[in-house]
Each structure stands twice: as structure tokens, then as C-alpha cells.
Amino acid sequence: MNKIYLFIAICVLALQHVKATELDASVLLRYENETDQINLAPRKRVRMIAAVGVSSQLNDTWSFTAQARTGLKNKQNVPAITLYQITDQPAGDKDVYLTRLFASAKFDKLTILAGKVPWKTEQVTDLFWDRHLNPIGIHLNYDLGSGQALKFASFKPLDGASGTVGHMSIFQYQHEFSTQWGKLTLSPWLVDYRGESDALYAKKDTQYDNQFVRVAMKLKQGQWQFGADIGRSTKDVPMEVGEAFSDQKLSYAFELKHGNLKNNGNYLTQLRYLHVERFAVVTEFAQNATSRFATSNFKGWDLRIRHKVNKRLWVGGRLSRTQRLLGVAEQSVRFRLETKYTF
């Protein structure tokens, strides 16, 4: 992986010859109220996610992207920092760090990303992988034409700000086609994760090998879209996880969506139901936006509504209710009011 960074560093030195450079920045402010827990105290706070990035087009083929963001550098699926703690609890760290640094090349039908890359595999929700996590590796996308594509990724997930843990390989086939009910996209994929022990920060299931068969699908008709993420582990649950979880290998999420935020005055509404069994994901890397107490071994629903005020600003709210599937009972209600401004 050091070779990837060296390659990017050498290329960055050539940016004096760039064809075009774009800057982007955004700030999201959020009020959070988390209640109805069994074993956790209620929590109210005001949080912020701020990011600034630069993209440079070297020529018609090569480009380079870097982004810095707020969050917890040693727990990188937590992008927000606390500005004000309303309840009497620790506010946590306020880190700013480099979240993305990658080179991309676009050929005739092949697109390649290498470095600290964003997630590019098709998924309707973040049930399996939290999009705030940017691993170190490569992603390839090959356009087969006629709405078909092949995607391949090979990367090492991050363990804190600079270390890595384990290795993940992904192969996905994507097919878009028209039906009498609307535009249907099917994306079956295979995941192989090779675990590694002794992680310093990312310790949740990263020591276990796992393999998954997954499919993402969405059906779009006008302003409406129905989507689903479904997957199952093909590995036996390790004895260390516990006998009670021996058959807990299935995950699924269903989403009903209406609208978009393309134009001023638009509304976007998303309603999701999630069910994530204990060994159905790599717990460390799954999304954590819905449930306060877990990223696996839970079920619940999530409602989001956003309104596009103008070209740069949207406002919205979010309500999630989750509960633990097996083991010690736990539940949570998470309410948010948020607004995002893009510069």
C-alpha cells in the first residue's frame, strides 16, 4: 500500500500542469436527541460535519482528489464532532484529518481509482459498508455497455488514522434494464474478507475471516423508488462469537424513496427497515447512522425527510427506532434535525 501513496505523491508533483482544479466544501449542522435506551443514558447534543476537498484534472485521462474532514480519526465511521453537549456527557474528540487521497484514470470503458478511495460498489443503503469509511486500495469499473458493468475492489480497511486491518475483495456485476414497472437495477456481488488480529482501534469482528453473497436492487418509476440490500455470510460463525449466534448470518434492508434534491423546493423522503444479524456483516465497517448501540445484531426502521431550500442549502429531519435482536435487551430512539450548506 505504501507504493500506492508513493505513486500518488509523484503524480501530485505534476499538478503544475493540471488542466483544471475544483474546490468543494460543506458544513452540516445537526441537533441530536437519543432517548428510550435501556442501558444507556439519554443524550442530547449539537454536532457538525465539515469537509473541504480539491479535485485536479491532469489531462483527459488522469485526475487526483484529496479531502479533509472532521470526525474521530481513530473511529472513521463517526464523521461528526460535538459542538455543544446538552446532557452531562463527554463531548469527545474534535479531529480533522485527511479522509480521501486517490488518483483516478478513465479509459475507454475502464475506470480505475487507487489510493485512499471512496466506496464505489453499488448498494442501496449503508447496511454493509459505511460510506464515511475510505479504505486504502483500488477500485475498477468496466462498462460492458447496454446498462451492464463489472466492478472489482481490493483494499485494506483502516485501523484508526494510519494503520490498516485485514483485507477485503469485492466482485460485483450490475445490470440496468427497463420493465413495465419502471427501471430495474440488479447488482449481485461477492465479498471475501480476510481477518487480522491485534487491531488497535477497529476491533469489532476484524479478526475473523468472512465471506458474503449479497445483492442490491432498486426499481425506479418516476419520483418513486423501491430498493433492497440483502446478504448472507457463507462462513460458519466462530465459536468465540457465541453459540446463540450460530445461525445469525442474514442481513436485509428495504427502502421506499420518493422525490430528490435536484431542484430548489424539492423534497426527498426515505423510509427504511433494517435487519442485521450478528455475523451478517463485518461489524466494524457497517453503517452506524441508525442505531446508537450497534451496527449488527439489531433491527429497526429509519425515516428521513429533506427539503432543498436553494442551490446550496437543504434542511431536514430524521427519526430512527432500533432494538437488539439477541442477547441483553437494548433499544434506542434517535431524533435529528439537520441542515447542510455546500460552498
Side-chain angles (χ1 to χ4, degrees):
M1 293 304 168
N2 290 334
K3 293 180 179 179
I4 294 176
Y5 277 131
L6 178 61
F7 168 73
I8 294 176
I10 294 173
C11 293
V12 169
L13 293 177
L15 289 181
Q16 56 184 325
H17 305 294
V18 296
K19 189 175 181 179
T21 299
E22 293 184 1
L23 294 172
D24 63 88
S26 64
V27 175
L28 185 146
L29 295 176
R30 172 190 294 155
Y31 164 76
E32 294 183 355
N33 186 339
E34 297 171 310
T35 61
D36 205 23
Q37 286 94 188
I38 296 176
N39 302 300
L40 299 170
R43 182 169 64 183
K44 298 179 183 180
R45 53 188 178 173
V46 178
R47 311 198 81 195
M48 178 184 74
I49 302 174
V52 58
V54 57
S55 297
S56 297
Q57 190 74 36
L58 182 60
N59 51 42
D60 292 337
T61 300
W62 289 94
S63 63
F64 304 91
T65 301
Q67 183 194 69
R69 194 192 66 205
T70 59
L72 305 184
K73 65 181 180 181
N74 290 323
K75 192 176 181 182
Q76 296 193 24
N77 61 350
V78 181
I81 59 175
T82 301
L83 299 181
Y84 179 67
Q85 193 74 41
I86 299 173
T87 51
D88 187 16
Q89 291 173 324
D93 296 333
K94 295 179 173 62
D95 298 324
V96 177
Y97 57 95
L98 195 65
T99 54
R100 295 180 180 179
L101 179 63
F102 64 93
S104 58
K106 185 172 179 58
F107 303 99
D108 182 24
K109 295 185 176 182
L110 178 66
T111 302
I112 303 173
L113 283 73
K116 196 172 186 179
V117 297
W119 179 264
K120 291 293 185 179
T121 305
E122 178 70 20
Q123 57 179 12
V124 176
T125 70
D126 286 2
L127 178 147
F128 181 82
W129 183 271
D130 193 307
R131 294 179 191 270
H132 290 109
L133 296 171
N134 299 287
I136 298 175
I138 61 171
H139 176 94
L140 287 75
N141 189 96
Y142 187 80
D143 184 4
L144 297 172
S146 302
Q148 301 177 77
L150 292 176
K151 301 174 187 286
F152 173 75
S154 177
F155 56 77
K156 293 185 71 65
L158 287 169
D159 177 25
S162 57
T164 60
V165 58
H167 183 272
M168 186 173 286
S169 298
I170 300 172
F171 179 80
Q172 183 178 67
Y173 169 72
Q174 182 176 328
H175 190 189
E176 298 179 357
F177 51 94
S178 298
T179 72
Q180 60 179 325
W181 302 286
K183 181 180 178 181
L184 178 64
T185 303
L186 292 177
S187 305
W189 42 309
L190 302 174
V191 184
D192 179 75
Y193 175 72
R194 301 301 172 93
E196 185 178 349
S197 60
D198 300 324
L200 186 59
Y201 300 103
K203 298 182 178 181
K204 299 177 182 177
D205 294 350
T206 53
Q207 69 271 39
Y208 303 127
D209 291 349
N210 211 336
Q211 294 176 339
F212 308 89
V213 176
R214 305 197 57 82
V215 61
M217 62 185 77
K218 55 186 178 183
L219 178 65
K220 183 174 177 60
Q221 177 66 270
Q223 293 288 306
W224 291 92
Q225 176 177 293
F226 173 77
D229 285 315
I230 303 171
R232 182 176 178 84
S233 169
T234 63
K235 286 280 191 179
D236 292 334
V237 179
M239 295 181 59
E240 297 90 335
V241 174
E243 185 177 353
F245 301 103
S246 61
D247 62 345
Q248 294 291 295
K249 301 191 290 183
L250 177 67
S251 68
Y252 52 86
F254 301 108
E255 178 190 77
L256 184 62
K257 182 167 71 173
H258 181 267
N260 56 62
L261 295 179
K262 293 181 179 179
N263 301 311
N264 295 347
N266 283 5
Y267 283 87
L268 173 62
T269 302
Q270 296 168 283
L271 177 62
R272 293 172 174 173
Y273 178 80
L274 304 96
H275 177 105
V276 187
E277 294 178 359
R278 175 64 181 82
F279 204 58
V281 296
V282 181
T283 301
E284 187 68 47
F285 309 135
Q287 66 87 28
N288 75 342
T290 304
S291 180
R292 175 183 176 183
F293 58 85
T295 60
S296 68
N297 190 27
F298 80 95
K299 65 178 180 180
W301 55 267
D302 177 40
L303 173 65
R304 288 189 282 184
I305 301 176
R306 294 175 179 176
H307 173 58
K308 184 87 167 184
V309 178
N310 56 46
K311 180 181 178 180
R312 301 184 181 277
L313 178 70
W314 61 258
V315 298
R318 184 171 186 174
L319 180 64
S320 310
R321 185 179 183 91
T322 57
Q323 64 183 86
R324 183 168 285 148
L325 287 172
L326 292 177
V328 179
E330 186 56 276
Q331 63 186 22
S332 177
V333 174
R334 174 176 280 178
F335 173 68
R336 296 173 172 179
L337 293 174
E338 53 191 6
T339 181
K340 183 176 182 179
Y341 188 85
T342 302
F343 297 89

